[in-house]
Amino acid sequence: MPQHASRDSVTQDPALRPRLLFTDLDGSLLDHHSYDWSTARPWLARLTTLGVPVIPVTSKTRSEIVPLRQAMGLMDTPFIAENGAVAGLPPAWCHARLDRGPGPDGLVIKTLGVDIGFIRKRLAVWRDRLGVRFTTMSEMSLEELAGFTGLAEPEARLARMREGSEPLVWADDDDGLVAFREGLEGDGLRLVRGGRFWHVTGESHKGSAVSWLIERFQALRGSRPLTLGLGDGPNDIAMLERVDQAVVIRGCHGLEVSPQQPALYRSEATGPAGWAEGVAYWWGRADRRVIPAEVREAREVSRREASGEAT
């Protein structure tokens, strides 16, 4: 369920609160088939101008996200990779005492999940023990993976560079899936459904990683942000339940996505068109408008002076 905001943030004008936007990529900000995102470009540009961080929260790997961040102009924002297993932090999101220096790509990488080696060992154990059939992404050839996902082979190679999760294609019955899930849970692992793959991860997930980033923002900036989350798949549910406002983008996969979230909008359009529709619904209306930080600050100063709070 969405976390409760503090009394101060509840009484504060929503238009004056800093904002964070958390977004799934495949099937949401990126088209499910073509991976195009041009329909969302005007809103991305507007949010950048307004100083609103757009934070990818995705099943993609760190290696896949880094070039996408550059193409989309999101170099100053953090990201969450592999369904919550890995977080990448730019300098402004780092704590001088708690975080090591950035790597060669200018990011501090935080591992929130378990090691990929442990996941792959347990997958082999449960396949033998239960006699179930599935194919992991690491077992696919680059040609097979490219054909299944529609990625070019260079991008498919980046998708296989897993650090804390393993995608797989299930090829057995529902009873086997139940037994498989239960076995993984005994190892402290989770099985979640994405748009194309099932994903095996540790106990971390998109929701816990989003909560972790919100808490970090609040600790660094001293105020709780208003948050918006957008996603199209079952693996996005935990994220959509941790934000203040949420959008379920109409998917191309036919899977049910029903977060327990009272502030929920369901888009008519799919992919990046649905993404833009959802952002416009919550933050394009006058009563939910996004305003620049400098305007927020000027209004807050005026409010304090009018109420006699200024010293």
Side-chain angles (χ1 to χ4, degrees), residues 258-270:
S258 298
Q260 298 182 48
Q261 167 60 270
L264 181 67
Y265 176 77
R266 291 183 179 273
S267 76
E268 293 291 332
T270 61

Side-chain angles (χ1 to χ4, degrees), residues 148-170:
F148 185 74
T149 60
L151 294 168
E153 285 199 10
E155 284 74 29
R157 184 175 288 106
L158 296 178
R160 293 178 59 176
M161 299 175 66
R162 318 302 299 185
E163 296 176 89
S165 69
E166 182 68 69
L168 59 85
V169 178
W170 185 253

Side-chain angles (χ1 to χ4, degrees), residues 60-82:
K60 288 185 178 296
T61 64
R62 172 174 31 142
S63 299
E64 291 177 278
I65 295 171
V66 168
L68 276 173
R69 289 172 72 242
Q70 185 168 6
M72 293 181 171
L74 304 179
M75 298 298 289
D76 295 327
T77 68
F79 63 81
I80 295 166
E82 298 192 44

Side-chain angles (χ1 to χ4, degrees), residues 8-124:
D8 290 341
S9 64
V10 169
T11 57
Q12 185 182 15
D13 180 353
L16 299 177
R17 291 171 62 188
R19 301 192 178 202
L20 301 179
L21 186 151
F22 297 95
T23 179
D24 175 50
L25 291 181
D26 293 348
S28 298
L29 184 52
L30 301 177
D31 182 83
H32 181 79
H33 301 290
S34 67
Y35 300 98
D36 178 64
W37 51 277
S38 57
T39 312
R41 191 188 300 272
W43 259 110
L44 282 175
R46 180 180 175 188
L47 292 168
T48 298
T49 300
L50 296 169
V52 177
V54 175
I55 302 171
V57 184
T58 175
S59 60
K60 288 185 178 296
T61 64
R62 172 174 31 142
S63 299
E64 291 177 278
I65 295 171
V66 168
L68 276 173
R69 289 172 72 242
Q70 185 168 6
M72 293 181 171
L74 304 179
M75 298 298 289
D76 295 327
T77 68
F79 63 81
I80 295 166
E82 298 192 44
N83 287 311
V86 177
L89 302 175
W93 285 73
C94 295
H95 193 290
R97 290 189 295 107
L98 300 179
D99 299 319
R100 296 181 179 178
D105 53 7
L107 296 166
V108 169
I109 303 300
K110 308 289 281 189
T111 301
L112 307 178
V114 299
D115 181 72
I116 186 63
F118 174 75
I119 293 175
R120 288 173 176 163
K121 286 178 182 178
R122 298 313 298 171
L123 285 175

